[in-house]
Amino acid sequence: MARTLVNVPKVAKQGEVVEIKAMIAHPMETGYRIGPNGSNIARDIIRRFTCTYNGEEVFSADLFPAVSANPFIAFTLVATTSGTIDFTWTDDAGKTQTASATITVN
């Protein structure tokens, strides 16, 4: 499994705009590079990233071969209620990596 790093404020005021950051350790191999044996290295990229807040999708992104290794994504959302923020990364092979964090809204 790939290593993930998510940064979500532990506490926010209701209605506050908070910044969410997520990163996954992944090579994002484009399939265009030549390996040591002279053949192309197989393509292996993260294709989709989604983020849900209490089960409702609040952010998603489709990623392409031009994205660098270890993709870092930052976005904002409005803190409405306390709950869980779930992150999902899906690669070319359909494998998924998930992470989650909780936020308390006062």
Side-chain angles (χ1 to χ4, degrees):
M1 290 292 181
R3 192 182 79 219
T4 61
L5 176 64
V6 295
N7 185 335
V8 175
K10 292 196 182 298
V11 179
K13 293 179 182 174
Q14 188 170 20
E16 180 180 359
V17 176
V18 296
E19 183 174 37
I20 308 297
K21 299 175 186 175
M23 187 198 77
I24 186 167
H26 194 278
M28 296 295 283
E29 189 57 60
T30 65
Y32 297 120
R33 288 188 326 130
I34 305 297
N37 62 358
S39 63
N40 284 5
I41 297 171
R43 176 179 150 140
D44 181 21
I45 67 168
I46 299 289
R47 299 198 69 171
R48 183 132 176 98
F49 169 78
T50 59
C51 177
T52 61
Y53 181 20
N54 288 333
E56 181 180 340
E57 187 173 292
V58 292
F59 182 85
S60 67
D62 291 322
L63 306 178
F64 298 92
V67 175
S68 69
N70 308 320
F72 173 80
I73 297 172
F75 57 95
T76 59
L77 62 81
V78 177
T80 55
T81 60
S82 297
T84 304
I85 299 174
D86 295 306
F87 305 86
T88 304
W89 294 264
T90 306
D91 71 8
D92 275 337
K95 295 179 193 169
T96 60
Q97 177 72 36
T98 61
S100 63
T102 57
I103 186 168
T104 302
V105 177
N106 299 327

